[in-house]
Amino acid sequence: METADSRKVFKAGEFIIKQGDPGDSAYIIEEGKVEIRYTDSEGRTRVLGTRGANAMIGEMAIIDNAPRTATIVALEDSKLLEITKDDFSRRLEHADSVLKMATQVILTRYRDTLTRAEIWGERYQWPPAEMVELGYAETTDAVQTITIANEFRDALLSKFVQLYYQPIISLSSGEITGFEALMRWNHPKKGFISPAIFIPVAEESGLIIEASKWALREACLALKRIEAAVKPKDKLYMSVNFSSADFSSDDFIGSVYNTISETDVAAEQVHLEITERVLIQQPDRAKETLRMCRKAGMGIAIDDFGTGYSSLSYLHYFPIDTLKIDQSFVRDMHKNEHSLALVNSIVTLGKNMRMITVAEGVEAKEEAHKLREMGCELAQGYLFAKPMSEADLIERLKLWAPVRF
Ligand code: C2E
Ligand code: CA
Ligand code: CA
């Protein structure tokens, strides 16, 4: 190995890092190619992968003093830029505070992921098949999260993110009372990405605030267009999902008010869907915010009701008017008497508290039947309609006939 400033040159075949050795620097490969090898507790050595120009190796050393977790050998003569732990700490000290925090969180999580994978590997096979398939670095939660967050930010701006709308039906009349707006991300290469993947990433990265603002505005505008196209006899409502981060943002209430007045929908036509988590995490703030929303006329629904915190006292504390029964209970109703009892209890609770109950995920006629018998007012599910684009929804509404069951 030759050294010049912070650059190091390794000849083909030379070891750069040895598994088990202490380490206090990471490297960026400027030129050349290296191989990463891992030896398990039984002495079997496997090749984890190769890395070329611009890749970073040995990065664990810049977060802790733990021994090297793998061996890295130069496959070709390679030129590496060294980043010592001290150098890294110094750079971090001067970084913007958000960047600093994010870096620390990500690196710590990265270490946790690797540790988990190592424990797993000792017992089974190292590396797990999916890690090999995706490439070592790309499999970490942190790298994936950053990739998704970056792509999602661009998608929001370039309109690859859309809203779909799922009708919410009155169980007594079979007529539509409103819609739930659900986000869809149509990725140009990967196709539709589930909200179950991108919403948590958007929440973690703070992008959800921008996304929710966009969604509320878009949903309100869509409601106006839908009303203009199908001229319903009764006013319909639009239910929009919000996350904890939305409630923490200082201008939440102002932004909601603005959107409602600018899009010219009646506040009564806007329902906010939140989970119990939002209420529990910041009760005082949530109470005040919800009070102002209710005062203005908006509806407040608790989403996934029954899956969160067990205390019911909060129902009394917050100005809530709708309970959405989680689909896992509805789905199980006909084969699991506990689920049936639970749904029944929620409907009764709703009635006693003068709240509306909405059953989610209704797929079978028998479920709809049972729910109606129990006195559940509203339902949403594939039995009636799947979430659909605005254009499809308008076509569907023009031909809508009350659902018989
Ligand atoms: P959620 O709010 O509980 O939304 C209901 C989910 O159930 C939707 O999944 C919907 O497509 C699905 N669903 C409705 N009826 C049926 C049915 O009969 N059977 C089955 N199997 N599923 C049904 P989706 O659209 O994939 O959304 C998943 C979750 O992502 C949502 O759950 C919500 O938590 C979150 N999400 C979606 N859009 C937004 C958004 O704009 N903002 C926020 N904060 N979260 C969103
Ligand atoms: Ca929802
Ligand atoms: Ca739900």
Side-chain angles (χ1 to χ4, degrees):
M1 178 190 67
E2 287 169 36
T3 312
D5 306 327
S6 58
R7 282 182 175 71
K8 292 189 169 177
V9 179
F10 291 84
K11 293 259 172 258
E14 230 182 322
F15 285 95
I16 301 166
I17 282 171
K18 280 194 185 146
Q19 187 175 336
D21 279 359
D24 61 1
S25 50
Y27 301 95
I28 294 172
I29 306 173
E30 281 194 330
E31 283 168 26
K33 196 171 177 188
V34 305
E35 184 175 84
I36 306 170
R37 299 174 188 165
Y38 175 79
T39 306
D40 66 19
S41 52
E42 282 158 31
R44 287 173 304 196
T45 299
R46 292 168 218 271
V47 174
L48 296 183
T50 56
R51 293 287 176 271
N54 300 323
M56 185 182 266
I57 53 173
E59 67 284 353
M60 291 294 288
I62 55 185
I63 26 170
D64 57 27
N65 293 312
R68 298 288 193 188
T69 52
T71 294
I72 303 184
V73 183
L75 288 181
E76 302 167 357
D77 291 357
S78 301
K79 200 195 279 177
L80 311 183
L81 185 68
E82 184 179 32
I83 303 157
T84 64
K85 194 173 172 172
D86 289 347
D87 179 25
F88 183 72
S89 308
R90 226 176 4 257
R91 284 167 192 264
L92 207 56
E93 252 167 51
H94 297 295
D96 160 286
S97 60
V98 173
L99 196 63
K100 196 187 296 184
M101 186 171 166
T103 311
Q104 270 154 351
V105 169
I106 290 164
L107 287 175
T108 309
R109 220 171 271 165
Y110 179 43
R111 174 181 46 197
D112 289 349
T113 310
L114 288 185
T115 311
R116 273 204 308 275
E118 270 164 42
I119 293 165
W120 194 89
E122 269 168 27
R123 266 182 258 149
Y124 304 97
Q125 173 219 347
W126 173 266
E130 65 274 21
M131 274 185 115
V132 177
E133 225 166 76
L134 290 166
Y136 188 66
E138 287 74 15
T139 53
T140 63
D141 293 354
V143 173
Q144 262 190 1
T145 304
I146 293 172
T147 311
I148 297 173
N150 282 339
E151 292 187 354
F152 182 69
R153 179 183 296 113
D154 295 343
L156 255 184
L157 296 173
S158 57
K159 301 294 170 245
F160 282 111
V161 175
Q162 288 180 331
L163 290 180
Y164 266 37
Y165 304 93
Q166 186 175 35
I168 299 171
I169 313 294
S170 154
L171 281 168
S172 55
S173 67
E175 295 284 0
I176 295 175
T177 58
F179 313 98
E180 177 176 1
L182 292 157
M183 234 181 256
R184 292 289 175 267
W185 178 7
N186 191 1
H187 192 286
K189 290 205 190 98
K190 297 174 190 148
F192 274 102
I193 299 179
S194 164
I197 292 178
F198 69 80
I199 293 288
V201 172
E203 284 173 346
E204 214 169 303
S205 59
L207 285 170
I208 194 73
I209 296 177
E210 201 182 318
S212 299
K213 280 185 187 163
W214 169 81
L216 180 64
R217 176 171 296 270
E218 179 61 20
C220 289
L221 291 170
L223 183 60
K224 294 299 277 187
R225 293 189 292 257
I226 292 164
E227 284 181 332
V230 303
K231 308 199 170 42
K233 46 183 190 323
D234 297 317
K235 282 253 178 252
L236 299 168
Y237 70 86
M238 183 62 80
S239 206
V240 180
N241 292 282
F242 288 93
S243 302
S244 294
D246 296 311
F247 274 69
S248 323
S249 99
D250 284 335
D251 68 339
F252 177 75
I253 195 87
S255 153
V256 170
Y257 281 179
N258 267 344
T259 305
I260 289 180
S261 83
E262 282 167 24
T263 57
D264 196 30
V265 294
E268 289 71 21
Q269 289 179 282
V270 176
H271 291 202
L272 312 184
E273 284 193 20
I274 52 174
T275 57
E276 290 160 84
R277 202 153 31 112
V278 175
L279 306 178
I280 306 302
Q281 280 176 355
Q282 30 192 341
D284 297 336
R285 188 173 190 132
K287 185 179 184 182
E288 185 50 21
T289 307
L290 294 179
R291 194 189 62 78
M292 288 163 83
C293 293
R294 282 293 295 142
K295 202 163 153 234
M298 287 170 244
I300 313 288
I302 299 299
D303 206 355
D304 307 337
F305 187 73
T307 59
Y309 299 84
S310 51
S311 165
L312 292 177
S313 56
Y314 78 82
L315 285 182
H316 187 64
Y317 184 74
F318 297 102
I320 296 157
D321 63 0
T322 303
L323 299 179
K324 296 194 78 173
I325 309 170
D326 190 65
Q327 46 183 287
S328 58
F329 307 124
V330 176
R331 187 77 29 77
D332 263 13
M333 252 168 53
H334 55 286
K335 48 181 197 282
N336 180 337
E337 56 187 63
H338 289 121
S339 294
L340 185 67
L342 208 103
V343 172
N344 207 353
S345 309
I346 298 175
V347 173
T348 307
L349 177 73
K351 272 195 215 134
N352 291 339
M353 304 281 295
R354 300 188 197 294
M355 292 176 187
I356 304 273
T357 44
V358 184
E360 291 190 305
V362 179
E363 293 184 359
K365 286 192 173 177
E366 307 85 77
E367 292 162 358
H369 235 167
K370 260 259 140 24
L371 288 159
R372 184 170 55 193
E373 261 172 37
M374 288 176 185
C376 177
E377 285 96 346
L378 304 177
Q380 174 181 357
Y382 296 170
L383 172 65
F384 308 105
K386 288 194 169 178
M388 56 194 119
S389 69
E390 183 183 330
D392 288 348
L393 179 67
I394 288 174
E395 286 316 302
R396 188 73 197 274
L397 293 180
K398 284 180 179 163
L399 304 168
W400 184 268
V403 183
R404 309 245 169 264
F405 52 88

